[in-house]
Amino acid sequence: MPKNEIEKIADDIRTMRVRGAGRIARAAANALKIATAKTKAKTAADFKREIEHVSKILISTRPTAVSLPNAVRYVTLGLKQEHDSDLSALKKIIATRADEFINNSKEAVKRIGEIGANRISDGDVILTHCNSECALSVIKTAFKKGKQIKVIATESRPVWQGRLTVRELLKEGIPTTLIIDSAVRHFMRDVDEVIVGADSISANGAVVNKIGTSTIALAAHEARVLFFVAAETYKFHPETLVGRLVKIEERDPNEVVNLKSFPELKVLNPAFDVTPAEYVDLIITERGIIPPSAAYSVIRDIFEWKPGDKI
Ligand code: RUB
C-alpha cells in the first residue's frame, strides 16, 4: 500500500492545497491510479480490499463536493462488476478508468466554456464568486471569442479564493474588479449575469456551492439579473434521488478568526450553502444547457446508479 502518496493527496485535498470540485475529483482518480501502480497485493481479492480502503480515505477528505465520490465510483465501478478477472486485469481496469475520468473531466470543462460562452453577449458585466474552473472556462472562452466583457469577482472569505480568480482573469487580460463579499447587492445593478460553479446539484435542482452563493442568487433574483451555474454532470448528486441531503462542510473556525484571541467565542464556518432551484436560471453542463428542473433526469439517465446503490 503506497500509504504516503495516497495520504499526501488526501491531505492536500483536506487542507485545500488542491481545491475546487473538479480538481479534487481528478486528484482522487489519479490517487486510485497511483495506488494501483504501487500495490503489493498478490491476489484480486486483496487488491479490491486495498482499493476500497483508499477510496474511503479519499472520500472522507471533503464531504460536500459529490464530484469526489462520483469520481471514485466511476473509476472503481469496473472493479465491482468484475467477479472473475485476475489481478492484472483489475489493475488495468482501474488505470484505464482513472485516465478516462481525468480526460473526460478536462474535456467537459472546455465544452462547458464553449457552450456557456454562447450565452454571453458583447459588453456584458459578469459577477462570479469563489474560484470555479467551469465558471472561469465560460468567461475566458467568451473573452477569447472577442466579447468585450468585464468581470466583478468577490473575495470569497474566509479562504480568499477570489484572489485566485482575479489573478487568472487578469492573466487573460480580462478587465476585472475585486469586491468584498458584502458589496454584492450594492453592485448587482451593474451586472448582466452571475456565473458560479457547483460542488453538488441535487435531484430537485438546488445548487450547493461556496458559502455566499445563495445570498448572491437572492440579490440577482431581486435585481432580475440572470443566474447561471456552470457544472459538469458528475456534480449531480445521485443519492439526493433517495432523499439524502448534501452534507455541508464545517471548517476550522481559525480560518475566520484566531481563536486564541477570543477563547470564549463561538464561530461557525460553513464552507458551502444551498441555492434553491427557483433562483437558478440555467445550468451549463458539458451535455448542454438545462433548466434546474432537469436535474432529476440527468441523475436518472447519466449515472450508472440505481436507488439503493451505495457511493
Ligand atoms: C470551491 C467552490 C467552487 C466549486 C466548483 O470551493 O465552491 O465554486 O467547487 O469549482 P473550495 P470547479 O475552494 O472550498 O473547494 O468549477 O472548479 O469544479
Side-chain angles (χ1 to χ4, degrees):
M1 162 80 62
K3 264 221 167 77
N4 292 340
E5 258 175 282
I6 301 307
E7 270 162 14
K8 187 179 172 307
I9 294 173
D11 201 49
D12 283 349
I13 297 174
R14 207 176 289 114
T15 56
M16 292 172 67
R17 275 190 291 273
V18 175
R19 47 144 302 283
R23 287 189 179 95
I24 62 179
R26 292 198 290 274
N30 188 43
L32 288 165
K33 199 178 157 186
I34 293 172
T36 300
K38 302 275 176 80
T39 185
K40 293 204 165 56
K42 295 269 183 292
T43 66
D46 282 350
F47 177 64
K48 282 187 183 184
R49 265 193 296 277
E50 197 175 305
I51 290 296
E52 206 170 304
H53 178 66
V54 169
S55 300
K56 278 190 188 143
I57 293 175
L58 293 167
I59 289 172
S60 70
T61 52
R62 292 200 75 188
T64 303
V66 76
S67 52
L68 184 53
N70 280 348
V72 168
R73 189 167 187 283
Y74 183 94
V75 175
T76 58
L77 192 70
L79 202 123
K80 282 176 193 138
Q81 284 165 347
E82 291 295 321
H83 297 297
D84 305 325
S85 300
D86 62 17
L87 179 59
S88 68
L90 292 182
K91 284 186 183 172
K92 199 157 174 239
I93 287 173
I94 296 285
T96 309
R97 285 185 72 89
D99 283 342
E100 221 170 75
F101 182 86
I102 293 167
N103 293 337
N104 290 346
S105 163
K106 288 181 181 165
E107 270 311 306
V109 175
K110 268 195 223 149
R111 187 82 192 112
I112 285 168
E114 281 156 18
I115 295 170
N118 293 331
R119 288 300 306 254
I120 310 297
S121 302
D122 195 29
D124 276 0
V125 174
I126 301 165
L127 186 140
T128 190
H129 183 51
C130 194
N131 178 260
S132 156
E133 249 192 328
C134 289
L136 290 181
S137 177
V138 173
I139 294 169
K140 288 181 199 170
T141 310
F143 187 72
K144 280 187 187 135
K145 288 188 174 191
K147 297 183 182 175
Q148 294 301 312
I149 52 173
K150 289 187 182 131
V151 177
I152 298 176
T154 57
E155 287 180 315
S156 311
R157 292 184 197 184
V159 184
W160 312 94
Q161 290 92 334
R163 292 176 182 175
L164 300 173
T165 294
V166 298
R167 217 169 278 139
E168 264 188 81
L169 292 171
L170 292 174
K171 203 168 140 208
E172 298 290 324
I174 301 173
T176 302
T177 305
L178 183 69
I179 62 169
I180 59 172
D181 299 326
S182 46
V184 161
R185 187 164 176 259
H186 180 76
F187 289 109
M188 194 52 86
R189 70 178 87 105
D190 303 330
V191 175
D192 294 292
E193 57 263 323
V194 175
I195 308 180
V196 295
D199 284 82
S200 278
I201 300 173
S202 63
N204 66 359
V207 172
V208 184
N209 191 50
K210 182 51 56 194
I211 190 77
T213 302
S214 67
T215 314
I216 297 173
L218 198 59
H221 188 72
E222 179 200 39
R224 307 281 189 273
V225 169
L226 292 166
F227 188 90
F228 298 166
V229 174
E232 310 89 322
T233 47
Y234 58 77
K235 309 262 179 73
F236 288 76
H237 201 311
E239 290 198 347
T240 60
L241 263 193
V242 287
R244 275 267 302 267
L245 295 177
V246 178
K247 190 171 183 321
I248 302 293
E249 177 183 2
E250 184 68 33
R251 292 189 63 86
D252 185 349
N254 287 294
E255 285 181 353
V256 180
V257 67
N258 185 348
L259 277 187
K260 281 192 196 126
S261 317
F262 299 92
E264 307 293 316
L265 185 66
K266 176 180 175 184
V267 176
L268 294 175
N269 184 21
F272 302 97
D273 66 17
V274 183
T275 300
E278 63 193 284
Y279 298 124
V280 178
D281 287 288
L282 50 90
I283 303 174
I284 307 158
T285 79
E286 74 280 13
R287 297 190 176 221
I289 282 176
I290 62 160
S293 56
Y296 167 78
S297 324
V298 171
I299 296 171
R300 193 197 49 199
D301 299 344
I302 292 183
F303 284 89
E304 298 167 72
W305 187 90
K306 286 169 228 67
D309 282 1
K310 282 264 172 289
I311 55 171

